[in-house]
PDB file of all heavy atoms in Angstrom:
ATOM      1  N   LEU A1616     -12.369   6.706 -11.775  1.00  0.00           N
ATOM      2  CA  LEU A1616     -13.768   7.075 -11.960  1.00  0.00           C
ATOM      3  C   LEU A1616     -13.901   8.517 -12.442  1.00  0.00           C
ATOM      4  O   LEU A1616     -14.659   8.805 -13.367  1.00  0.00           O
ATOM      5  CB  LEU A1616     -14.542   6.875 -10.653  1.00  0.00           C
ATOM      6  CG  LEU A1616     -16.030   7.205 -10.697  1.00  0.00           C
ATOM      7  CD1 LEU A1616     -16.744   6.314 -11.699  1.00  0.00           C
ATOM      8  CD2 LEU A1616     -16.635   7.062  -9.311  1.00  0.00           C
ATOM      9  N   LEU A1617     -13.142   9.415 -11.819  1.00  0.00           N
ATOM     10  CA  LEU A1617     -13.189  10.822 -12.243  1.00  0.00           C
ATOM     11  C   LEU A1617     -12.705  10.996 -13.677  1.00  0.00           C
ATOM     12  O   LEU A1617     -13.266  11.782 -14.445  1.00  0.00           O
ATOM     13  CB  LEU A1617     -12.365  11.682 -11.281  1.00  0.00           C
ATOM     14  CG  LEU A1617     -12.921  11.794  -9.852  1.00  0.00           C
ATOM     15  CD1 LEU A1617     -11.940  12.561  -8.959  1.00  0.00           C
ATOM     16  CD2 LEU A1617     -14.283  12.423  -9.838  1.00  0.00           C
ATOM     17  N   THR A1618     -11.674  10.245 -14.052  1.00  0.00           N
ATOM     18  CA  THR A1618     -11.168  10.311 -15.422  1.00  0.00           C
ATOM     19  C   THR A1618     -12.211   9.796 -16.405  1.00  0.00           C
ATOM     20  O   THR A1618     -12.406  10.379 -17.477  1.00  0.00           O
ATOM     21  CB  THR A1618      -9.861   9.506 -15.559  1.00  0.00           C
ATOM     22  OG1 THR A1618      -8.910   9.997 -14.611  1.00  0.00           O
ATOM     23  CG2 THR A1618      -9.269   9.618 -16.954  1.00  0.00           C
ATOM     24  N   LEU A1619     -12.888   8.715 -16.049  1.00  0.00           N
ATOM     25  CA  LEU A1619     -13.933   8.173 -16.925  1.00  0.00           C
ATOM     26  C   LEU A1619     -15.052   9.188 -17.106  1.00  0.00           C
ATOM     27  O   LEU A1619     -15.522   9.412 -18.230  1.00  0.00           O
ATOM     28  CB  LEU A1619     -14.495   6.874 -16.360  1.00  0.00           C
ATOM     29  CG  LEU A1619     -15.580   6.207 -17.202  1.00  0.00           C
ATOM     30  CD1 LEU A1619     -15.044   5.809 -18.571  1.00  0.00           C
ATOM     31  CD2 LEU A1619     -16.147   4.999 -16.490  1.00  0.00           C
ATOM     32  N   ILE A1620     -15.474   9.825 -16.039  1.00  0.00           N
ATOM     33  CA  ILE A1620     -16.519  10.854 -16.134  1.00  0.00           C
ATOM     34  C   ILE A1620     -16.056  11.990 -17.041  1.00  0.00           C
ATOM     35  O   ILE A1620     -16.805  12.461 -17.907  1.00  0.00           O
ATOM     36  CB  ILE A1620     -16.904  11.370 -14.729  1.00  0.00           C
ATOM     37  CG1 ILE A1620     -17.632  10.275 -13.956  1.00  0.00           C
ATOM     38  CG2 ILE A1620     -17.760  12.631 -14.823  1.00  0.00           C
ATOM     39  CD1 ILE A1620     -17.825  10.565 -12.482  1.00  0.00           C
ATOM     40  N   LEU A1621     -14.829  12.410 -16.872  1.00  0.00           N
ATOM     41  CA  LEU A1621     -14.266  13.472 -17.723  1.00  0.00           C
ATOM     42  C   LEU A1621     -14.251  13.051 -19.190  1.00  0.00           C
ATOM     43  O   LEU A1621     -14.625  13.830 -20.066  1.00  0.00           O
ATOM     44  CB  LEU A1621     -12.859  13.843 -17.256  1.00  0.00           C
ATOM     45  CG  LEU A1621     -12.141  14.903 -18.072  1.00  0.00           C
ATOM     46  CD1 LEU A1621     -12.860  16.242 -17.967  1.00  0.00           C
ATOM     47  CD2 LEU A1621     -10.693  15.033 -17.613  1.00  0.00           C
ATOM     48  N   MET A1622     -13.856  11.821 -19.476  1.00  0.00           N
ATOM     49  CA  MET A1622     -13.811  11.332 -20.852  1.00  0.00           C
ATOM     50  C   MET A1622     -15.219  11.268 -21.457  1.00  0.00           C
ATOM     51  O   MET A1622     -15.419  11.590 -22.622  1.00  0.00           O
ATOM     52  CB  MET A1622     -13.159   9.946 -20.934  1.00  0.00           C
ATOM     53  CG  MET A1622     -11.683   9.915 -20.583  1.00  0.00           C
ATOM     54  SD  MET A1622     -10.667  10.906 -21.697  1.00  0.00           S
ATOM     55  CE  MET A1622     -10.226  12.264 -20.636  1.00  0.00           C
ATOM     56  N   ILE A1623     -16.194  10.859 -20.661  1.00  0.00           N
ATOM     57  CA  ILE A1623     -17.577  10.811 -21.153  1.00  0.00           C
ATOM     58  C   ILE A1623     -18.069  12.227 -21.468  1.00  0.00           C
ATOM     59  O   ILE A1623     -18.680  12.465 -22.512  1.00  0.00           O
ATOM     60  CB  ILE A1623     -18.497  10.112 -20.126  1.00  0.00           C
ATOM     61  CG1 ILE A1623     -18.153   8.613 -20.081  1.00  0.00           C
ATOM     62  CG2 ILE A1623     -19.966  10.325 -20.477  1.00  0.00           C
ATOM     63  CD1 ILE A1623     -18.832   7.859 -18.960  1.00  0.00           C
ATOM     64  N   LEU A1624     -17.791  13.159 -20.571  1.00  0.00           N
ATOM     65  CA  LEU A1624     -18.212  14.538 -20.802  1.00  0.00           C
ATOM     66  C   LEU A1624     -17.527  15.135 -22.028  1.00  0.00           C
ATOM     67  O   LEU A1624     -18.141  15.849 -22.810  1.00  0.00           O
ATOM     68  CB  LEU A1624     -17.938  15.401 -19.561  1.00  0.00           C
ATOM     69  CG  LEU A1624     -18.785  15.093 -18.316  1.00  0.00           C
ATOM     70  CD1 LEU A1624     -18.322  15.899 -17.130  1.00  0.00           C
ATOM     71  CD2 LEU A1624     -20.260  15.295 -18.599  1.00  0.00           C
ATOM     72  N   LEU A1625     -16.238  14.834 -22.215  1.00  0.00           N
ATOM     73  CA  LEU A1625     -15.534  15.311 -23.409  1.00  0.00           C
ATOM     74  C   LEU A1625     -16.077  14.650 -24.668  1.00  0.00           C
ATOM     75  O   LEU A1625     -16.226  15.307 -25.725  1.00  0.00           O
ATOM     76  CB  LEU A1625     -14.034  15.066 -23.283  1.00  0.00           C
ATOM     77  CG  LEU A1625     -13.271  15.942 -22.294  1.00  0.00           C
ATOM     78  CD1 LEU A1625     -11.840  15.431 -22.115  1.00  0.00           C
ATOM     79  CD2 LEU A1625     -13.268  17.377 -22.780  1.00  0.00           C
ATOM     80  N   GLY A1626     -16.379  13.353 -24.576  1.00  0.00           N
ATOM     81  CA  GLY A1626     -16.887  12.631 -25.734  1.00  0.00           C
ATOM     82  C   GLY A1626     -18.272  13.078 -26.174  1.00  0.00           C
ATOM     83  O   GLY A1626     -18.592  13.062 -27.367  1.00  0.00           O
ATOM     84  N   LEU A1630     -18.166  19.178 -22.377  1.00  0.00           N
ATOM     85  CA  LEU A1630     -16.943  19.960 -22.084  1.00  0.00           C
ATOM     86  C   LEU A1630     -16.138  20.056 -23.375  1.00  0.00           C
ATOM     87  O   LEU A1630     -15.544  19.103 -23.815  1.00  0.00           O
ATOM     88  CB  LEU A1630     -16.091  19.264 -21.003  1.00  0.00           C
ATOM     89  CG  LEU A1630     -16.650  19.209 -19.600  1.00  0.00           C
ATOM     90  CD1 LEU A1630     -15.698  18.442 -18.691  1.00  0.00           C
ATOM     91  CD2 LEU A1630     -16.871  20.601 -19.038  1.00  0.00           C
TER      92      LEU A1630
END
Side-chain angles (χ1 to χ4, degrees):
L1616 181 61
L1617 293 174
T1618 304
L1619 181 62
I1620 291 169
L1621 178 65
M1622 293 298 109
I1623 290 171
L1624 292 174
L1625 288 171
L1630 292 178

